[in-house]
Amino acid sequence: MRAISRRLGQLFAGLALYGVSTAFMVESDLGLNPWDVFHQGLSRVTGIGLGTVVILVGVPVMLLWLPLRQRPGFGTLANLVLVGLAVDGALAVLPTGGTLPARIGYLIAGILLNGLATALYLGSRFGAGPRDGLMTGLAGRFPRLSLRVIRTGIELSVLAAGIALGGTAGVGTVAYALAIGPLVQFFLPRVSAPLPRLGTRPEPVKATQQA
């Protein structure tokens, strides 16, 4: 029971921090990660709040799991709702970046928090998020393509669509792409929840990243 409670707490903390990290990057106005460029573009076109768009986009993305034979876990459903709520909540209270040094500080804080949040979420071992599940499902469906190629293809596609819709891409987008992998790799072994099995050792969690 204690182990489950710890994992649940870690899951919820990771999802909440992921939403807060997104809000920091939004207020920096220096560029978002590819999926959030897309989310922000849709938000600007439709007038719907960014967090709500994050939730709404997650639904059809998760439906794409069906032909890929992916099964959502509890973490998948929690991700679908909580990240978007955390984004809107953080944006409601976070002051605007204002000066360039403040905006740079927001960007750095956002990227660092995102790395920690991703590690907490993945390390809780409650299942992939909607966007991660799409990536791993496609990798299983097309085994000749590497996970890196599939992820790059997905993120370039949503980035291009997001820019076309008016989402913010910039130096922050590049900084995120360069930093997020090493950050998750650093944090993940330190926060991964063990799942002991009789006669076996728990398998390491792979850092696929993206809520």
Side-chain angles (χ1 to χ4, degrees):
M1 178 62 76
R2 183 178 297 177
I4 291 292
S5 297
R6 175 206 160 173
R7 290 171 57 208
L8 284 171
Q10 182 172 319
L11 171 69
F12 294 141
L15 296 178
L17 281 177
Y18 198 99
V20 172
S21 72
T22 299
F24 270 107
M25 293 186 68
V26 169
E27 293 296 353
S28 78
D29 199 31
L30 293 172
L32 302 167
N33 70 61
W35 274 105
D36 284 332
V37 173
F38 179 61
H39 296 146
Q40 188 185 56
L42 282 176
S43 176
R44 288 176 172 174
V45 168
T46 62
I48 300 173
L50 179 60
T52 304
V53 170
V54 171
I55 295 171
L56 293 176
V57 169
V59 175
V61 169
M62 197 166 69
L63 289 176
L64 291 174
W65 288 27
L66 297 177
L68 299 173
R69 298 181 181 178
Q70 293 285 96
R71 293 184 179 180
F74 175 74
T76 309
L77 302 177
N79 180 298
L80 183 65
V81 177
L82 295 183
V83 171
L85 294 178
V87 170
D88 279 346
L91 286 174
V93 299
L94 190 65
T96 57
T99 65
L100 181 59
R103 289 163 58 201
I104 293 173
Y106 272 15
L107 175 64
I108 294 172
I111 294 174
L112 289 173
L113 278 177
N114 195 277
L116 174 59
T118 301
L120 285 169
Y121 161 64
L122 291 175
S124 71
R125 303 175 187 263
F126 274 111
R131 295 152 188 83
D132 266 343
L134 175 62
M135 176 180 63
T136 55
L138 286 171
R141 180 67 178 82
F142 302 101
R144 293 186 179 182
L145 298 177
S146 70
L147 193 64
R148 178 176 299 181
V149 168
I150 290 173
R151 176 180 170 180
T152 300
I154 292 173
E155 295 198 347
L156 286 177
S157 298
V158 295
L159 177 60
I163 292 172
L165 292 169
T168 304
V171 63
T173 308
V174 178
Y176 181 91
L178 293 175
I180 193 62
L183 284 172
V184 174
Q185 187 174 13
F186 173 79
F187 286 122
L188 190 58
R190 292 163 173 79
V191 299
S192 291
L195 287 178
R197 297 176 182 175
L198 293 177
T200 63
R201 296 182 179 179
E203 297 179 358
V205 179
K206 296 182 180 180
T208 54
Q209 196 279 311
Q210 192 58 59

